[in-house]
Amino acid sequence: MGMLCAVSFNRYGRLYYLDPGELRPQVGDRVLVPTDDGPEVAECVWAAQWVSEDTDSFPKLAGLAQDEDLRRDEVLRRRKAEAKVAAKRLIREHGLPMKVVAVDHVLGAPETGSDRTTVYFTAPHRVDFRSLVRDLGATLRCRVELRQLSARDSARVQGGIGSCGRDLCCATFLNDFEPVTIRMAKDQDLPLNPLRISGACGRLMCCLKYEHPLYVGSSTYPTSGQRVSTSEGEARVVSRHPPSETVTVRQLSDGATKRCALSEVCGSRRAYEGGPTP
């Protein structure tokens, strides 16, 4: 048991959980988060509070951001904006089929001037950007790296709203992309319409795997089209809903559809629970 707080580097961006240590940041406070390139300024979006999980594996806050840290962060954000504008302009001049997704800038030591800018982009295929890197480095007067992102990584970096109306899973809490297959949609009786089962990245939605284990383990459920007996007479199964342990059936007598409990149409379940058999 320990304390955790959540911070974000960008408004409505991914949340990062850290151990506040002796600090007690409140919502809206600017804090320092340890990174590979040194402490970075982030905003606290979830005040420090006690949690039941073990917090020993979580990184600790480096402290509260001071005026000097805030000025450095402002310079960093300005450099990123300048690099993004320059990258887009040079990409147009070179006629390259690239789209800038995000820009990261690392400030080097003042005496060495070893600043580094990383431009993340998407492209339909591999791009020869050697001349672009040279011109971009001369324009920004720092070392430049270009990294091509996949469709899923691009959605994670840019963020957005999914068809469910919530922030994209990959941009908020998913750490790794697990394989998602069309078989998962078939097992869940979902329409195989790409517009219905594809996410903002154009790939299969990551959430297809959330409820999939329930459907895989639903061997006791009647299959679609199977004839079953209900309290109102014979019916055929239209769809099944393992999360709520219900099925939708269509009555053979009048064609009416209704949702009923699995135990109502499953003979083996009724026998197990001691209910009457049809």
Side-chain angles (χ1 to χ4, degrees), residues 211-223:
E211 295 178 358
H212 185 247
L214 293 176
Y215 287 83
V216 173
S218 59
S219 58
T220 59
Y221 280 72
T223 59

Side-chain angles (χ1 to χ4, degrees), residues 170-214:
C170 58
T172 51
F173 65 88
L174 282 184
N175 293 323
D176 299 308
F177 290 120
E178 298 181 12
V180 181
T181 64
I182 195 68
R183 184 70 206 177
M184 293 181 178
K186 292 181 179 179
D187 291 340
Q188 298 174 60
D189 299 328
L190 295 175
L192 302 183
N193 183 346
L195 297 178
R196 297 285 299 276
I197 60 177
S198 297
C201 60
R203 304 292 191 271
L204 292 174
M205 294 188 295
C206 294
C207 57
L208 289 177
K209 67 178 182 295
Y210 295 165
E211 295 178 358
H212 185 247
L214 293 176

Side-chain angles (χ1 to χ4, degrees), residues 48-68:
Q49 58 182 270
W50 291 99
V51 295
S52 57
E53 290 82 5
D54 182 14
T55 60
D56 292 340
S57 60
F58 287 85
K60 288 189 176 183
L61 285 179
L64 296 177
Q66 304 301 319
D67 291 341
E68 182 180 351

